[in-house]
Amino acid sequence: MNRFAAIFSATALSTIAFGAESYAAMPAASGAPESKIESSIQTLPASDFDVVRIDSLRTHDAAHERFAAVSQSSPETRQLQASVIANHSLAQKLQAQNVELTNIVGAERAADGSVTFYVR
C-alpha cells in the first residue's frame, strides 16, 4: 500500500504541475474579460479617432516604444482588431482612409474619449 500511495502522490503532483503550466501558458485574452480600450472601441463614434503610422514616430517616442515590437498576429492585437471590426461604422471610416484593419497593432484612448490607432 505504501508503494501505491507514493506512486499516486507523485502522479497527482505531476498532474497539478503540468496543469498549472498549461494554464500559465494560455494567452490572457482568451479567458479574461475585454479590457476597457476594446469595449470603448466597440461603442466609439466613427468620427472620434486618429490614425498614426508607427514608422512616422521617432524611435524614442513612448508610443513607438510601446507598439513597434507588437506583432499583428498576437492575441491582444487580434482582440483589438476584432473590436474595430465589430464597430461597423468605425471599420468603414478606417477603410475609407485606406487603413487595413489587420495592420492595426495598438490603440490609446485620450482624455477626451477619442482613440488613436497605431498601424504598420
Side-chain angles (χ1 to χ4, degrees):
M1 186 68 175
N2 196 10
R3 184 181 222 187
F4 176 74
I7 291 173
F8 177 74
S9 63
T11 304
L13 286 175
S14 64
T15 302
I16 291 170
F18 286 122
E21 179 65 29
S22 297
Y23 182 74
M26 290 173 48
S30 65
E34 292 182 356
S35 71
K36 290 183 180 180
I37 189 75
E38 279 90 6
S39 60
S40 65
I41 287 173
Q42 290 179 354
T43 59
L44 182 72
S47 60
D48 290 346
F49 69 90
D50 293 315
V51 177
V52 176
R53 292 186 51 87
I54 291 179
D55 58 2
S56 71
L57 299 172
R58 296 180 185 204
T59 55
H60 57 275
D61 188 296
H64 185 274
E65 292 174 358
R66 186 171 176 198
F67 298 117
V70 175
S71 168
Q72 292 169 289
S73 60
S74 72
E76 295 82 10
T77 303
R78 293 285 184 186
Q79 185 177 10
L80 175 64
Q81 294 165 354
S83 297
V84 172
I85 292 168
N87 186 336
H88 298 292
S89 60
L90 175 63
Q92 288 176 344
K93 286 272 193 169
L94 285 166
Q95 289 172 332
Q97 291 187 8
N98 295 323
V99 173
E100 181 67 38
L101 300 181
T102 57
N103 287 342
I104 297 173
V105 294
E108 289 180 328
R109 186 173 40 183
D112 65 355
S114 66
V115 173
T116 301
F117 293 102
Y118 294 93
V119 296
R120 293 209 184 275

